Coordinates of all heavy atoms in Angstrom, one line a residue:
M1 N 0.5 13.3 0.2 CA 1.5 12.4 0.8 C 0.9 11.0 0.8 O -0.3 10.8 0.9 CB 1.7 12.8 2.3 CG 2.4 14.0 2.5 SD 4.1 14.1 1.9 CE 5.0 14.1 3.4
T2 N 1.8 10.0 0.4 CA 1.2 8.7 0.3 C 2.0 7.8 1.3 O 3.3 7.8 1.4 CB 1.6 8.1 -1.1 OG1 0.8 8.9 -2.1 CG2 1.1 6.7 -1.3
K3 N 1.3 7.0 2.2 CA 2.0 6.2 3.1 C 2.3 4.9 2.5 O 1.6 4.2 1.8 CB 0.9 5.9 4.3 CG 0.9 7.0 5.3 CD 0.2 6.5 6.6 CE 0.0 7.6 7.5 NZ -1.2 7.7 8.2
L4 N 3.7 4.5 2.8 CA 4.2 3.3 2.2 C 5.0 2.7 3.3 O 5.6 3.3 4.1 CB 5.2 3.6 1.0 CG 4.6 4.4 -0.2 CD1 5.7 4.7 -1.2 CD2 3.5 3.5 -0.9
T5 N 5.0 1.3 3.3 CA 5.8 0.6 4.3 C 6.8 -0.3 3.7 O 6.6 -0.8 2.6 CB 4.8 -0.3 5.1 OG1 3.8 0.6 5.7 CG2 5.5 -1.1 6.2
F6 N 8.0 -0.3 4.3 CA 9.1 -1.1 3.9 C 9.6 -2.0 4.9 O 9.6 -1.6 6.1 CB 10.2 -0.2 3.5 CG 10.0 0.7 2.3 CD1 9.3 1.9 2.5 CD2 10.2 0.2 1.0 CE1 9.1 2.7 1.4 CE2 9.9 1.1 -0.1 CZ 9.3 2.3 0.1
I7 N 9.7 -3.2 4.6 CA 10.3 -4.3 5.5 C 11.8 -4.3 5.1 O 12.0 -4.9 4.0 CB 9.7 -5.6 5.5 CG1 8.1 -5.4 5.8 CG2 10.3 -6.5 6.4 CD1 7.3 -6.6 5.5
E8 N 12.7 -3.8 5.9 CA 14.2 -3.8 5.5 C 14.7 -5.2 5.7 O 14.2 -6.1 6.4 CB 14.8 -2.9 6.5 CG 14.4 -1.4 6.4 CD 15.0 -0.4 7.3 OE1 15.4 -0.8 8.4 OE2 15.2 0.7 6.9
P9 N 15.9 -5.4 5.1 CA 16.4 -6.8 5.1 C 16.6 -7.3 6.5 O 16.6 -8.5 6.8 CB 17.8 -6.6 4.4 CG 17.5 -5.5 3.4 CD 16.6 -4.5 4.2
S10 N 16.9 -6.4 7.5 CA 17.1 -6.8 8.8 C 15.8 -7.2 9.6 O 15.7 -7.7 10.7 CB 17.7 -5.6 9.6 OG 16.8 -4.5 9.6
G11 N 14.6 -6.9 8.9 CA 13.4 -7.3 9.5 C 12.7 -6.0 10.0 O 11.4 -6.2 10.4
N12 N 13.3 -4.9 10.1 CA 12.6 -3.7 10.6 C 11.6 -3.4 9.6 O 11.7 -3.3 8.5 CB 13.6 -2.5 10.6 CG 14.5 -2.6 11.8 OD1 14.3 -3.3 12.7 ND2 15.6 -1.8 11.8
R13 N 10.4 -2.9 10.2 CA 9.3 -2.4 9.4 C 9.2 -1.0 9.6 O 9.1 -0.4 10.7 CB 8.1 -3.1 9.9 CG 6.8 -3.0 9.1 CD 5.7 -3.7 9.8 NE 4.5 -3.5 9.1 CZ 3.9 -4.4 8.1 NH1 4.4 -5.5 7.9 NH2 2.8 -4.0 7.5
R14 N 9.3 -0.3 8.5 CA 9.3 1.2 8.5 C 8.3 1.8 7.6 O 8.1 1.4 6.5 CB 10.7 1.8 8.1 CG 11.7 1.4 9.2 CD 13.0 2.2 9.0 NE 12.8 3.6 8.7 CZ 13.6 4.4 8.1 NH1 14.8 3.8 7.7 NH2 13.3 5.6 7.9
E15 N 7.5 2.8 8.1 CA 6.5 3.4 7.4 C 7.0 4.8 7.0 O 7.6 5.5 7.8 CB 5.2 3.6 8.2 CG 4.0 4.0 7.4 CD 2.7 3.9 8.2 OE1 2.2 2.8 8.4 OE2 2.3 5.0 8.7
I16 N 6.8 5.2 5.7 CA 7.3 6.6 5.4 C 5.9 7.3 4.7 O 5.0 6.6 4.3 CB 8.4 6.6 4.4 CG1 8.0 6.0 2.9 CG2 9.6 5.8 4.9 CD1 9.0 6.3 1.9
E17 N 6.1 8.5 4.6 CA 5.2 9.4 3.9 C 5.9 10.0 2.7 O 6.8 10.7 2.9 CB 4.5 10.4 4.7 CG 3.7 9.8 5.9 CD 2.6 10.7 6.4 OE1 2.6 11.9 6.0 OE2 1.8 10.3 7.2
A18 N 5.4 9.7 1.5 CA 6.1 10.1 0.2 C 5.3 11.1 -0.6 O 4.1 10.9 -0.7 CB 6.4 8.9 -0.6
D19 N 6.1 12.1 -1.1 CA 5.4 13.0 -2.0 C 5.3 12.3 -3.4 O 6.1 11.5 -3.8 CB 6.3 14.2 -2.2 CG 6.3 15.1 -0.9 OD1 5.2 15.3 -0.4 OD2 7.4 15.6 -0.5
G20 N 4.3 12.8 -4.2 CA 4.2 12.3 -5.5 C 5.3 13.0 -6.4 O 6.0 13.8 -5.9
G21 N 5.3 12.6 -7.7 CA 6.3 13.2 -8.5 C 7.7 12.6 -8.4 O 8.7 13.2 -8.8
Q22 N 7.8 11.4 -7.8 CA 9.1 10.7 -7.6 C 8.8 9.2 -7.7 O 7.6 8.8 -7.6 CB 9.8 11.1 -6.4 CG 9.0 10.8 -5.1 CD 9.7 11.1 -3.8 OE1 10.9 11.3 -3.8 NE2 9.0 11.3 -2.7
S23 N 9.8 8.5 -7.9 CA 9.6 7.0 -7.8 C 9.6 6.6 -6.4 O 10.1 7.2 -5.4 CB 10.7 6.4 -8.6 OG 12.0 6.4 -7.9
V24 N 9.1 5.3 -6.2 CA 9.2 4.7 -4.8 C 10.6 4.6 -4.4 O 10.9 4.8 -3.2 CB 8.4 3.4 -4.8 CG1 8.6 2.7 -3.6 CG2 6.9 3.6 -5.2
M25 N 11.5 4.3 -5.3 CA 13.0 4.1 -5.0 C 13.5 5.4 -4.4 O 14.2 5.4 -3.4 CB 13.7 3.7 -6.1 CG 15.2 3.5 -5.9 SD 16.1 5.1 -6.1 CE 16.3 5.3 -7.9
Q26 N 13.1 6.5 -5.0 CA 13.7 7.9 -4.6 C 13.1 8.2 -3.2 O 13.9 8.7 -2.4 CB 13.3 8.9 -5.6 CG 14.1 8.8 -6.9 CD 13.6 9.8 -8.0 OE1 12.3 9.9 -8.1 NE2 14.4 10.3 -8.8
A27 N 11.8 7.9 -3.1 CA 11.2 8.2 -1.7 C 11.9 7.3 -0.6 O 12.2 7.8 0.4 CB 9.7 7.9 -1.7
A28 N 12.1 6.0 -1.0 CA 12.6 5.1 0.0 C 14.1 5.5 0.4 O 14.5 5.5 1.6 CB 12.6 3.6 -0.5
T29 N 14.9 5.8 -0.6 CA 16.3 6.1 -0.4 C 16.5 7.4 0.4 O 17.3 7.6 1.3 CB 17.2 6.1 -1.6 OG1 16.7 7.0 -2.6 CG2 17.3 4.7 -2.2
A30 N 15.6 8.4 0.0 CA 15.6 9.7 0.8 C 15.3 9.5 2.2 O 15.7 10.3 3.1 CB 14.6 10.7 0.1
A31 N 14.4 8.5 2.5 CA 14.0 8.2 4.0 C 15.0 7.3 4.6 O 14.8 7.0 5.8 CB 12.6 7.7 3.9
G32 N 16.0 6.9 3.9 CA 17.1 6.1 4.5 C 16.6 4.6 4.8 O 17.2 4.0 5.6
I33 N 15.7 4.1 4.0 CA 15.4 2.8 4.0 C 16.6 1.9 3.6 O 17.3 2.2 2.6 CB 14.2 2.4 3.0 CG1 13.0 3.2 3.4 CG2 13.9 0.9 3.0 CD1 12.4 2.9 4.7
E34 N 16.9 0.9 4.5 CA 18.1 0.1 4.2 C 17.9 -0.9 3.1 O 16.9 -1.4 2.9 CB 18.4 -0.7 5.5 CG 19.0 0.2 6.6 CD 19.1 -0.6 7.9 OE1 18.9 -1.8 7.9 OE2 19.4 0.1 8.9
G35 N 19.1 -1.2 2.5 CA 19.1 -2.3 1.5 C 18.7 -2.0 0.0 O 18.6 -2.9 -0.8
I36 N 18.6 -0.7 -0.2 CA 18.3 -0.2 -1.6 C 19.5 0.5 -2.2 O 19.6 1.7 -2.0 CB 17.0 0.7 -1.7 CG1 15.8 -0.1 -1.0 CG2 16.7 1.0 -3.1 CD1 14.7 0.8 -0.8
A37 N 20.4 -0.2 -2.9 CA 21.5 0.4 -3.4 C 21.2 1.3 -4.6 O 21.9 2.3 -4.7 CB 22.5 -0.8 -3.9
A38 N 20.3 1.0 -5.4 CA 19.8 1.8 -6.6 C 21.1 2.3 -7.4 O 21.2 3.5 -7.7 CB 19.0 3.0 -6.0
E39 N 21.9 1.4 -7.7 CA 23.2 1.7 -8.3 C 23.0 2.4 -9.7 O 23.9 3.2 -10.0 CB 24.0 0.4 -8.5 CG 24.6 -0.1 -7.2 CD 25.2 -1.5 -7.4 OE1 25.2 -2.0 -8.4 OE2 25.7 -1.9 -6.3
C40 N 22.0 2.1 -10.4 CA 21.9 2.8 -11.7 C 21.1 4.1 -11.6 O 20.8 4.8 -12.6 CB 21.2 1.9 -12.7 SG 19.4 1.7 -12.5
G41 N 20.7 4.5 -10.4 CA 20.0 5.8 -10.2 C 18.6 5.8 -10.8 O 18.0 6.8 -10.9
G42 N 18.1 4.6 -11.0 CA 16.6 4.6 -11.4 C 16.4 4.4 -12.9 O 15.3 4.6 -13.4
S43 N 17.5 3.9 -13.6 CA 17.4 3.7 -15.0 C 17.0 2.3 -15.4 O 17.1 1.9 -16.6 CB 18.8 3.9 -15.6 OG 19.2 5.2 -15.3
C44 N 16.5 1.5 -14.5 CA 16.0 0.2 -14.7 C 17.1 -0.7 -15.3 O 16.8 -1.6 -16.2 CB 14.8 0.1 -15.7 SG 13.8 -1.3 -15.7
M45 N 18.3 -0.6 -14.8 CA 19.4 -1.4 -15.3 C 20.1 -2.2 -14.4 O 20.9 -3.3 -14.7 CB 20.4 -0.5 -16.0 CG 19.9 0.3 -17.2 SD 21.0 1.5 -17.9 CE 22.3 0.4 -18.4
C46 N 20.0 -1.9 -13.0 CA 20.8 -2.6 -12.0 C 20.2 -3.7 -11.2 O 20.7 -4.6 -10.7 CB 21.4 -1.6 -11.1 SG 20.4 -0.8 -9.9
A47 N 18.8 -3.5 -11.1 CA 18.0 -4.5 -10.2 C 18.4 -4.5 -8.7 O 18.0 -5.3 -8.0 CB 18.1 -5.9 -10.7
T48 N 19.1 -3.4 -8.3 CA 19.4 -3.3 -6.9 C 18.3 -2.6 -6.1 O 18.5 -2.2 -5.0 CB 20.8 -2.7 -6.6 OG1 20.8 -1.4 -7.2 CG2 21.9 -3.4 -7.3
C49 N 17.2 -2.3 -6.7 CA 16.1 -1.8 -6.0 C 14.9 -2.8 -5.9 O 13.8 -2.5 -5.7 CB 15.6 -0.5 -6.7 SG 14.9 -0.8 -8.3
H50 N 15.3 -4.0 -6.0 CA 14.4 -5.2 -6.1 C 13.6 -5.3 -4.7 O 14.2 -5.4 -3.7 CB 15.2 -6.5 -6.4 CG 14.3 -7.7 -6.4 ND1 14.9 -8.9 -6.3 CD2 13.1 -7.9 -6.7 CE1 14.0 -9.9 -6.4 NE2 12.8 -9.2 -6.6
C51 N 12.3 -5.3 -4.8 CA 11.5 -5.6 -3.6 C 10.4 -6.5 -4.0 O 10.1 -6.8 -5.1 CB 10.8 -4.3 -3.2 SG 11.9 -3.0 -2.4
L52 N 9.8 -7.2 -2.9 CA 8.7 -8.0 -3.1 C 7.5 -7.2 -2.6 O 7.6 -6.5 -1.6 CB 8.8 -9.3 -2.3 CG 10.0 -10.2 -2.5 CD1 9.9 -11.5 -1.8 CD2 10.1 -10.6 -4.0
V53 N 6.4 -7.3 -3.3 CA 5.2 -6.5 -2.8 C 4.4 -7.5 -1.9 O 3.9 -8.6 -2.4 CB 4.4 -6.2 -4.1 CG1 3.1 -5.5 -3.7 CG2 5.2 -5.2 -5.0
C54 N 4.3 -7.1 -0.7 CA 3.6 -8.0 0.3 C 2.1 -7.7 0.3 O 1.3 -8.5 0.5 CB 4.2 -7.8 1.7 SG 5.9 -8.1 1.8
E55 N 1.8 -6.4 0.2 CA 0.4 -5.9 0.2 C 0.3 -4.8 -0.7 O 1.2 -3.9 -0.7 CB 0.0 -5.4 1.7 CG -0.1 -6.5 2.6 CD -0.3 -5.9 4.1 OE1 -1.1 -4.9 4.2 OE2 0.3 -6.4 5.0
A56 N -0.7 -4.8 -1.5 CA -1.0 -3.6 -2.4 C -2.5 -3.4 -2.4 O -3.2 -3.8 -3.4 CB -0.4 -3.9 -3.8
P57 N -3.0 -2.7 -1.4 CA -4.5 -2.5 -1.3 C -5.1 -2.0 -2.6 O -6.2 -2.3 -2.9 CB -4.7 -1.7 -0.1 CG -3.4 -1.5 0.6 CD -2.3 -2.0 -0.4
G58 N -4.5 -1.0 -3.1 CA -5.1 -0.3 -4.3 C -4.5 -0.9 -5.6 O -4.7 -0.3 -6.7
G59 N -3.7 -1.9 -5.6 CA -3.1 -2.3 -6.8 C -1.9 -1.6 -7.1 O -1.6 -0.5 -6.5
L60 N -1.1 -2.0 -8.1 CA 0.0 -1.3 -8.6 C 0.0 -1.2 -10.1 O -0.6 -2.0 -10.8 CB 1.3 -2.0 -8.2 CG 1.8 -1.9 -6.8 CD1 3.0 -2.8 -6.6 CD2 2.0 -0.6 -6.3
P61 N 0.6 -0.2 -10.7 CA 0.7 -0.2 -12.2 C 1.3 -1.4 -12.7 O 2.2 -2.0 -12.1 CB 1.5 1.1 -12.5 CG 1.9 1.7 -11.2 CD 1.4 0.9 -10.1
E62 N 0.9 -1.8 -13.9 CA 1.5 -3.0 -14.6 C 3.0 -2.7 -14.8 O 3.5 -1.7 -15.0 CB 0.8 -3.2 -16.0 CG -0.6 -3.7 -15.9 CD -0.7 -5.1 -15.3 OE1 0.0 -5.9 -15.9 OE2 -1.5 -5.4 -14.4
M63 N 3.7 -3.9 -14.8 CA 5.1 -3.8 -15.2 C 5.4 -3.7 -16.6 O 4.7 -4.3 -17.5 CB 5.7 -5.2 -14.6 CG 7.1 -5.2 -14.6 SD 7.8 -6.9 -14.2 CE 7.1 -7.2 -12.5
E64 N 6.3 -2.8 -16.9 CA 6.7 -2.7 -18.4 C 7.6 -3.8 -18.7 O 8.3 -4.4 -17.9 CB 7.3 -1.3 -18.6 CG 6.5 -0.1 -18.3 CD 5.4 0.2 -19.3 OE1 5.6 -0.2 -20.4 OE2 4.3 0.8 -18.9
S65 N 7.9 -4.0 -20.1 CA 8.8 -5.0 -20.4 C 10.2 -4.8 -20.0 O 10.9 -5.7 -19.7 CB 8.7 -5.2 -21.9 OG 9.1 -4.1 -22.6
D66 N 10.7 -3.5 -19.9 CA 12.1 -3.2 -19.5 C 12.3 -3.7 -18.0 O 13.3 -4.3 -17.7 CB 12.3 -1.7 -19.4 CG 12.5 -1.2 -20.7 OD1 12.5 -1.9 -21.8 OD2 12.8 0.1 -20.9
E67 N 11.3 -3.5 -17.2 CA 11.4 -3.9 -15.8 C 11.4 -5.4 -15.7 O 12.2 -6.0 -14.9 CB 10.2 -3.4 -15.0 CG 10.2 -3.7 -13.6 CD 9.0 -3.2 -12.8 OE1 8.3 -2.4 -13.2 OE2 8.9 -3.6 -11.6
A68 N 10.6 -6.1 -16.5 CA 10.6 -7.6 -16.4 C 11.9 -8.1 -16.9 O 12.5 -9.1 -16.3 CB 9.5 -8.1 -17.4
D69 N 12.5 -7.5 -17.9 CA 13.8 -8.0 -18.5 C 14.9 -7.8 -17.4 O 15.6 -8.8 -17.2 CB 14.2 -7.2 -19.7 CG 13.3 -7.5 -21.0 OD1 12.6 -8.5 -20.8 OD2 13.3 -6.8 -21.9
T70 N 14.9 -6.7 -16.8 CA 16.0 -6.4 -15.8 C 15.8 -7.3 -14.6 O 16.8 -7.8 -14.0 CB 16.0 -5.0 -15.4 OG1 16.2 -4.2 -16.6 CG2 17.1 -4.7 -14.3
L71 N 14.6 -7.6 -14.2 CA 14.4 -8.4 -13.1 C 14.9 -9.9 -13.1 O 15.2 -10.5 -12.3 CB 12.8 -8.6 -12.8 CG 12.3 -7.5 -11.8 CD1 10.7 -7.6 -11.8 CD2 12.8 -7.8 -10.4
E72 N 15.1 -10.3 -14.5 CA 15.6 -11.6 -14.6 C 17.1 -11.7 -14.1 O 17.7 -12.8 -14.0 CB 15.6 -12.0 -16.1 CG 14.2 -12.3 -16.6 CD 14.1 -12.7 -18.0 OE1 15.1 -13.1 -18.5 OE2 12.9 -12.6 -18.5
F73 N 17.7 -10.6 -13.9 CA 19.1 -10.5 -13.5 C 19.3 -10.1 -12.0 O 20.3 -9.6 -11.6 CB 19.9 -9.6 -14.4 CG 19.9 -10.0 -15.8 CD1 19.1 -9.4 -16.8 CD2 20.7 -11.1 -16.2 CE1 18.9 -9.9 -18.1 CE2 20.6 -11.5 -17.6 CZ 19.7 -10.9 -18.5
T74 N 18.3 -10.2 -11.3 CA 18.4 -9.9 -9.8 C 19.4 -10.9 -9.1 O 19.5 -12.0 -9.6 CB 17.0 -9.9 -9.1 OG1 16.5 -11.2 -9.2 CG2 16.1 -8.9 -9.5
A75 N 20.0 -10.4 -8.1 CA 20.8 -11.2 -7.3 C 20.0 -12.4 -6.6 O 20.5 -13.6 -6.5 CB 21.5 -10.4 -6.2
E76 N 18.8 -12.1 -6.3 CA 17.9 -13.1 -5.7 C 17.0 -13.5 -6.8 O 16.6 -12.8 -7.7 CB 17.1 -12.5 -4.5 CG 17.8 -11.7 -3.5 CD 18.2 -10.3 -4.1 OE1 17.5 -9.9 -5.0 OE2 19.1 -9.7 -3.6
E77 N 16.4 -14.7 -6.6 CA 15.5 -15.2 -7.7 C 14.2 -14.3 -7.7 O 13.7 -13.8 -6.7 CB 15.0 -16.6 -7.1 CG 14.3 -17.4 -8.2 CD 13.8 -18.8 -7.6 OE1 14.4 -19.2 -6.5 OE2 13.0 -19.3 -8.2
M78 N 13.9 -14.2 -9.0 CA 12.7 -13.3 -9.2 C 11.4 -14.1 -8.8 O 11.3 -15.3 -9.1 CB 12.6 -13.0 -10.7 CG 11.4 -12.2 -11.1 SD 11.4 -11.9 -12.9 CE 9.6 -11.3 -13.0
R79 N 10.5 -13.4 -8.1 CA 9.3 -14.1 -7.7 C 8.1 -13.4 -8.4 O 8.2 -12.3 -8.9 CB 9.1 -14.0 -6.2 CG 10.4 -14.6 -5.6 CD 10.2 -15.0 -4.1 NE 11.4 -15.3 -3.5 CZ 11.6 -15.1 -2.2 NH1 10.6 -14.8 -1.4 NH2 12.8 -15.2 -1.7
E80 N 6.9 -14.0 -8.2 CA 5.7 -13.4 -8.8 C 5.5 -12.0 -8.3 O 4.9 -11.2 -9.0 CB 4.5 -14.3 -8.4 CG 3.6 -14.5 -9.6 CD 2.7 -15.7 -9.3 OE1 3.1 -16.8 -9.7 OE2 1.6 -15.5 -8.8
T81 N 5.8 -11.7 -7.1 CA 5.6 -10.4 -6.5 C 6.7 -9.4 -6.6 O 6.7 -8.4 -6.0 CB 5.2 -10.6 -5.0 OG1 6.3 -11.2 -4.3 CG2 3.9 -11.3 -4.8
S82 N 7.8 -9.8 -7.3 CA 8.9 -9.0 -7.5 C 8.6 -7.7 -8.3 O 7.9 -7.8 -9.3 CB 10.1 -9.7 -8.3 OG 10.6 -10.8 -7.5
R83 N 9.2 -6.6 -7.9 CA 9.1 -5.4 -8.6 C 10.5 -4.6 -8.4 O 11.2 -4.8 -7.4 CB 8.0 -4.5 -8.2 CG 6.6 -5.0 -8.3 CD 6.2 -5.2 -9.9 NE 6.3 -4.0 -10.6 CZ 5.3 -3.3 -11.0 NH1 4.0 -3.6 -10.6 NH2 5.4 -2.2 -11.8
L84 N 10.8 -3.8 -9.4 CA 11.9 -2.8 -9.3 C 11.2 -1.5 -8.9 O 10.4 -0.9 -9.8 CB 12.7 -2.7 -10.6 CG 13.4 -3.9 -11.1 CD1 14.0 -3.7 -12.4 CD2 14.3 -4.5 -10.1
I85 N 11.5 -1.1 -7.6 CA 10.6 0.1 -7.2 C 11.1 1.4 -7.8 O 10.4 2.4 -7.7 CB 10.7 0.2 -5.7 CG1 12.1 0.4 -5.1 CG2 10.0 -1.0 -5.1 CD1 12.1 0.7 -3.6
C86 N 12.2 1.5 -8.6 CA 12.4 2.7 -9.3 C 11.5 2.9 -10.5 O 11.4 4.0 -11.1 CB 13.9 2.7 -9.9 SG 14.3 1.5 -11.1
Q87 N 10.7 1.9 -10.8 CA 9.9 1.9 -11.9 C 8.4 2.1 -11.5 O 7.5 2.1 -12.3 CB 9.9 0.6 -12.8 CG 11.3 0.4 -13.4 CD 11.7 1.6 -14.2 OE1 11.2 1.9 -15.2 NE2 12.9 2.2 -13.8
I88 N 8.2 2.4 -10.2 CA 6.9 2.6 -9.7 C 6.7 4.1 -9.2 O 7.6 4.4 -8.3 CB 6.5 1.7 -8.6 CG1 6.6 0.2 -9.0 CG2 5.0 2.0 -8.0 CD1 6.5 -0.8 -7.9
E89 N 5.9 4.8 -9.7 CA 5.7 6.2 -9.4 C 4.9 6.3 -8.1 O 3.9 5.5 -7.9 CB 5.1 7.0 -10.5 CG 5.1 8.5 -10.4 CD 4.4 9.2 -11.5 OE1 4.1 8.5 -12.5 OE2 3.9 10.3 -11.3
V90 N 5.2 7.2 -7.2 CA 4.5 7.5 -6.0 C 3.1 8.3 -6.4 O 3.3 9.3 -7.0 CB 5.2 8.3 -5.0 CG1 4.4 8.6 -3.8 CG2 6.4 7.6 -4.5
T91 N 2.0 7.7 -6.2 CA 0.8 8.3 -6.4 C -0.2 7.9 -5.3 O 0.2 6.9 -4.5 CB 0.1 7.7 -7.8 OG1 -0.1 6.4 -7.6 CG2 0.9 8.0 -8.9
T92 N -1.2 8.6 -5.1 CA -2.2 8.2 -4.0 C -2.8 6.9 -4.2 O -3.2 6.2 -3.2 CB -3.3 9.3 -3.9 OG1 -3.9 9.5 -5.1 CG2 -2.7 10.7 -3.4
E93 N -2.8 6.4 -5.3 CA -3.4 5.0 -5.6 C -2.5 3.9 -5.0 O -3.1 2.8 -4.8 CB -3.4 4.7 -7.2 CG -4.6 5.5 -7.9 CD -4.3 6.9 -8.3 OE1 -3.1 7.3 -8.4 OE2 -5.2 7.7 -8.3
I94 N -1.3 4.1 -4.7 CA -0.5 3.1 -4.1 C -0.4 3.2 -2.6 O 0.4 2.5 -2.0 CB 0.9 2.9 -4.8 CG1 1.8 4.2 -4.4 CG2 0.8 2.8 -6.3 CD1 3.3 3.9 -4.8
E95 N -1.2 4.1 -2.0 CA -1.3 4.2 -0.6 C -1.4 2.8 0.1 O -2.2 2.0 -0.3 CB -2.5 5.1 -0.3 CG -2.9 5.1 1.2 CD -2.2 6.3 2.0 OE1 -1.7 7.2 1.3 OE2 -2.2 6.3 3.2
G96 N -0.6 2.6 1.1 CA -0.7 1.4 1.9 C 0.1 0.2 1.4 O 0.0 -0.9 2.0
T97 N 0.7 0.4 0.3 CA 1.6 -0.7 -0.2 C 2.7 -1.0 0.7 O 3.3 -0.2 1.3 CB 2.2 -0.4 -1.6 OG1 1.1 0.0 -2.5 CG2 2.9 -1.5 -2.2
V98 N 2.9 -2.4 0.9 CA 4.0 -2.8 1.7 C 5.0 -3.5 0.9 O 4.7 -4.5 0.1 CB 3.5 -3.8 2.8 CG1 4.6 -4.4 3.7 CG2 2.4 -3.2 3.6
F99 N 6.2 -3.1 0.9 CA 7.4 -3.6 0.1 C 8.4 -4.3 1.1 O 8.7 -3.7 2.1 CB 8.2 -2.5 -0.6 CG 7.4 -1.7 -1.6 CD1 6.7 -0.6 -1.3 CD2 7.2 -2.2 -2.9 CE1 6.0 0.2 -2.2 CE2 6.4 -1.5 -3.9 CZ 5.8 -0.4 -3.5
K100 N 8.8 -5.5 0.6 CA 9.9 -6.2 1.4 C 11.2 -6.0 0.5 O 11.2 -6.3 -0.6 CB 9.6 -7.7 1.5 CG 10.7 -8.5 2.3 CD 10.3 -9.9 2.5 CE 11.3 -10.7 3.2 NZ 12.5 -10.1 3.6
V101 N 12.1 -5.3 1.2 CA 13.3 -5.0 0.4 C 14.3 -6.2 0.4 O 14.6 -6.8 1.4 CB 14.2 -3.9 1.2 CG1 15.4 -3.5 0.5 CG2 13.3 -2.6 1.3
M102 N 14.7 -6.6 -0.8 CA 15.5 -7.8 -0.9 C 17.0 -7.6 -0.5 O 17.6 -8.4 0.0 CB 15.5 -8.3 -2.4 CG 14.0 -8.8 -2.7 SD 13.3 -10.0 -1.5 CE 14.2 -11.4 -2.0
G103 N 17.5 -6.4 -0.8 CA 18.9 -6.1 -0.4 C 19.8 -7.0 -1.1 O 19.5 -7.6 -2.1
R104 N 21.0 -7.1 -0.6 CA 22.1 -8.0 -1.2 C 22.8 -8.7 -0.1 O 22.9 -8.2 1.0 CB 23.1 -7.1 -1.9 CG 22.6 -6.7 -3.2 CD 23.8 -6.4 -4.1 NE 23.3 -6.2 -5.5 CZ 24.1 -5.8 -6.4 NH1 25.3 -5.5 -6.1 NH2 23.7 -5.7 -7.7
Ligands
LIG1 S1 17.6 1.6 -9.3 FE1 18.6 0.3 -10.9 S2 17.0 -0.9 -11.5 FE2 16.0 0.3 -10.1

């Protein structure tokens, strides 16, 4: 299990424990984290899983070009810490990461 924290659009801070073998988006939506529409189901096409990374103690995997391209079409302005969480796999290496959900 990997502990992840989400700051929901309302400001609520929620910690979840996620199993590996899924994306951060899948773990977050299964836990009922607010503000993640995930309209494309994780295909890196909708940008409705946009989050800002507030803390990443162990770092995060590098962004692929597909993710960077889709991030240009987010409803909110893309920032340096922007990520599409459907493109990040849950692993023990990302333990302690804090994501701010951008929502809509
Ligand atoms: S769920 Fe659509 S881009 Fe992540």
Side-chain angles (χ1 to χ4, degrees):
M1 297 291 254
T2 300
K3 277 192 186 142
L4 301 172
T5 300
F6 294 87
I7 302 168
E8 296 177 329
S10 61
N12 282 346
R13 191 178 174 100
R14 293 193 43 206
E15 193 172 278
I16 69 167
E17 296 206 350
D19 288 322
Q22 61 180 337
S23 70
V24 173
M25 177 278 282
Q26 288 170 319
T29 54
I33 301 295
E34 290 174 6
I36 303 170
E39 286 170 2
C40 75
S43 305
C44 198
M45 293 174 69
C46 70
T48 61
C49 66
H50 181 201
C51 289
L52 302 183
V53 178
C54 302
E55 292 171 38
L60 288 177
E62 288 292 310
M63 193 184 297
E64 301 283 338
S65 61
D66 283 1
E67 183 181 348
D69 290 347
T70 302
L71 267 170
E72 290 183 18
F73 299 100
T74 56
E76 315 77 20
E77 193 182 340
M78 180 182 167
R79 307 202 197 151
E80 221 164 272
T81 55
S82 290
R83 295 297 301 258
L84 297 178
I85 60 169
C86 68
Q87 299 303 299
I88 302 173
E89 192 182 339
V90 176
T91 62
T92 53
E93 283 79 32
I94 69 166
E95 168 93 17
T97 304
V98 179
F99 297 95
K100 180 174 181 0
V101 180
M102 295 307 284
R104 279 200 170 175

